[in-house]
Amino acid sequence: MIDKRHRNTALLVAGCFFMENLDGTIVTTAAPNIGESLHVPPTSIGLVITSYLLTLAVLIPLSGWLTRRLGTRPVFLSAIAIFTVASLCCALSNDLAVLVAMRVLQGIGGAMMVPVGRLVVIGRTEKQDLLRVMSYIVWPGLISPVIAPLAGALITTYASWRWLFLINIPLGVLAFVVAWRLIPAGRSSTPPPLDWLGLLLTCGGLGGLTYTAHLISETRMSWAPITALGAGSAVFLTLATWHLLRTRYPLITLRTLREPTFRLSQSGGFLFWLVVGSTPFLLPLLFQTVFGWSAVRSGAIVLFIFVGNIAIKPATTPLLNRFGFRRVLLAATLGMLATMLGLGFTTPTTPLVIIIALTLLSGVARSVGLTCYSTIAYADLDPAQMRDANTLAATTQQLSAGLAVAVATVALRLGGLLPGTDSAARDYTAAFVLLGLIALITVVGAIRLHPQAGSSVTRKPTAPTGTNRSDPGPTDATPDAPGRIAQDTADRLS
């Protein structure tokens, strides 16, 4: 049973996750207004977005080491404070260089805020409650990309672009006060030496790949610098992988991927996040450029993704308890595949009710799928692996969020190169089909998942022990195991 304090901590982290994700996308629609205010071309405002995403990608891998060195409470409180103060500085900026610098500072706070907060939550969650707790944390990541374009448009239309950042001030102050009361004062420890080479290779590769994604999304860019930067980033990440698997104290421990359920959550979840993040970007473009809809109407239809997210949320836990992760995840990935194909073949003459239904079902599939991936990631891990797994999961998730728009842009460009795609409508059809192919890969992963995988966090009866590595076995099946695991994890994290 989840006590009130623990539930409130999970909701606190969810709120921080919402702020972090919202700030990554809400600025997009305000680019013309910000550019006019700062006397720079609107295209230059891309730096405001990219600097934030770059900082997140580069610094998230460092969060695990910092919590060992300083403790979770001071790092989490400092992260909220930095994020809030940086938001105020962003709102007060009168120069592009200052705004970009403050966005970097904001990214520093965001990079520590969510991974460390999530570490506090999962470290004190019994496995039988993990499913419900993770559902609290997942939904902000689903909502923010959907409402950000419409929220940004409304704020810049009826107020000033500075309110894009000022809205973080009361939220940040509230989060700091709540965190001060809820987050316990744990003990810091002496961490292993910082893996400087791993930091250089990993952060350089992640930063380069994120900036490559930004260049891809800029339609005026040629492919030569994109290819060069992308290839260099791939080399850095390859060397980082080789190093992290061989060094004694790696910045990110890749050995956690030996656990089948965690490996699935990172591979399948990464691809699923790409499709999830690409959809809110492509749909408004389809509705406005092909269907001829207004921005308000297209934004209102896209909000049905959010309706689907919320509508299915109360049923997610009962479904997983009844059918298990494999069946529910298979249904979610198939649902995502079907809705991508369905949306790709819609036309201006398609009845509005069908478009709304497809959008709504897409939201349902998103919500269920990401809850499955986020929960099963920690279902079969030992307590000693939680911190390393959390750092890797946060890094993977942020990378997928940074690449989502680039994937959508590439899919749209490739659609225009395919034979017979001589109209904008066909370009979008091809783009959604390509996203459907990515969703198909996640379907294959769900099929290969063991039927009893993740059963330690559901009430679904487990199979006989010893059938698979993902089977928790007799140790975790004992009545006292969930509490023992949570206590061991809390002790290790503190």
Side-chain angles (χ1 to χ4, degrees):
M1 183 65 66
I2 304 174
D3 59 46
K4 182 179 180 180
R5 183 186 183 90
H6 192 54
R7 183 183 68 249
N8 290 341
T9 304
L11 292 175
L12 167 66
V13 176
C16 293
F17 191 20
F18 177 80
M19 285 196 300
E20 179 195 287
N21 276 269
L22 189 67
D23 272 61
T25 52
I26 197 172
V27 179
T28 305
T29 54
N33 301 76
I34 298 176
E36 181 180 359
S37 175
L38 301 182
H39 308 292
V40 296
T43 53
S44 300
I45 305 304
L47 288 173
V48 177
I49 303 170
T50 305
S51 59
Y52 180 76
L53 295 177
L54 269 173
T55 308
L56 289 176
V58 168
L59 291 184
I60 282 179
L62 194 59
S63 61
W65 186 87
L66 281 177
T67 55
R68 284 191 178 97
R69 179 68 179 84
L70 303 175
T72 53
R73 177 182 167 88
V75 172
F76 188 55
L77 290 173
S78 299
I80 296 176
I82 291 172
F83 187 88
T84 305
V85 172
S87 297
L88 176 61
C89 294
C90 286
L92 298 177
S93 298
N94 290 313
D95 180 80
L96 179 61
V98 174
L99 179 57
V100 170
M102 292 305 100
R103 285 286 277 180
V104 171
L105 183 62
Q106 195 181 37
I108 293 173
M112 302 298 150
M113 189 166 59
V114 174
V116 175
R118 185 167 59 185
L119 184 62
V120 173
V121 173
I122 64 174
R124 289 165 172 80
T125 301
E126 296 184 359
K127 284 206 171 184
Q128 63 189 15
D129 297 324
L130 186 61
L131 179 57
R132 181 179 299 178
V133 167
M134 290 306 298
S135 69
Y136 293 149
I137 300 177
V138 166
W139 68 265
L142 298 168
I143 296 173
S144 51
V146 177
I147 70 171
L150 183 58
L154 292 174
I155 290 174
T156 53
T157 300
Y158 298 105
S160 166
W161 64 267
R162 300 181 189 278
W163 281 99
L164 297 173
F165 304 106
L166 288 175
I167 58 175
N168 289 329
I169 309 304
L171 296 176
V173 171
L174 178 62
F176 187 89
V177 172
V178 174
W180 183 275
R181 298 184 59 182
L182 290 180
I183 305 300
R187 301 183 305 274
S188 60
S189 60
T190 303
L194 181 60
D195 178 17
W196 287 102
L197 180 57
L199 182 68
L200 173 65
L201 293 174
T202 303
C203 296
L206 292 174
L209 196 58
T210 303
Y211 192 69
T212 301
H214 163 69
L215 294 180
I216 292 175
S217 64
E218 297 287 335
T219 55
R220 70 183 186 279
M221 288 295 300
S222 64
W223 284 106
I226 293 174
T227 303
L229 183 58
S233 303
V235 170
F236 264 68
L237 290 175
T238 301
L239 292 174
T241 302
W242 181 86
H243 169 77
L244 294 173
L245 288 172
R246 285 162 176 77
T247 190
R248 184 177 181 183
Y249 300 114
L251 178 70
I252 299 177
T253 303
L254 300 181
R255 296 181 182 89
T256 51
L257 294 172
R258 293 173 180 172
E259 173 56 53
T261 50
F262 183 72
R263 185 169 63 248
L264 169 82
S265 73
Q266 299 311 291
S267 57
F270 175 81
L271 296 175
F272 200 83
W273 267 109
L274 288 180
V275 180
V276 164
S278 300
T279 307
F281 172 77
L282 281 178
L283 277 181
L285 291 178
L286 172 66
F287 293 154
Q288 293 179 52
T289 61
V290 178
F291 291 11
W293 292 358
S294 67
V296 174
R297 186 182 186 185
S298 64
I301 298 301
V302 173
L303 281 180
F304 277 94
I305 296 178
F306 165 71
V307 175
N309 293 340
I310 297 301
I312 195 61
K313 187 58 65 181
T316 304
T317 298
L319 285 172
L320 285 168
N321 286 331
R322 173 65 179 86
F323 298 105
F325 278 94
R326 183 176 182 269
R327 291 181 180 180
V328 175
L329 187 58
L330 183 58
T333 51
L334 283 172
M336 182 61 76
L337 169 61
T339 54
M340 287 300 99
L341 296 178
L343 289 169
F345 286 96
T346 56
T347 67
T349 60
T350 302
L352 184 61
V353 65
I354 293 180
I355 297 176
I356 290 176
L358 287 171
T359 308
L360 183 72
L361 292 175
S362 172
V364 170
R366 286 157 51 98
S367 181
V368 175
L370 290 179
T371 299
C372 288
Y373 283 121
S374 299
T375 307
I376 203 172
Y378 306 101
D380 299 321
L381 291 174
D382 295 329
Q385 298 175 298
M386 287 293 189
R387 188 193 302 271
D388 293 326
N390 179 69
T391 302
L392 179 56
T395 303
T396 303
Q397 182 176 313
Q398 180 55 44
L399 182 61
S400 62
L403 296 179
V405 174
V407 168
T409 304
V410 170
L412 197 56
R413 290 187 182 181
L414 291 178
L417 296 176
L418 294 177
T421 56
D422 54 359
S423 69
R426 292 180 181 178
D427 293 351
Y428 282 96
T429 298
F432 275 103
V433 169
L434 290 174
L435 290 180
L437 293 177
I438 297 177
L440 180 60
I441 300 175
T442 67
V443 174
V444 175
I447 293 174
R448 298 182 61 188
L449 187 65
H450 191 273
Q452 298 301 324
S455 57
S456 61
V457 300
T458 66
R459 297 185 180 91
K460 184 175 173 58
T462 59
T465 61
T467 57
N468 185 272
R469 175 68 182 89
S470 298
D471 186 355
T475 301
D476 289 352
T478 58
D480 294 336
R484 175 180 54 76
I485 289 174
Q487 186 59 51
D488 288 347
T489 306
D491 292 340
R492 292 175 184 270
L493 296 184
S494 62

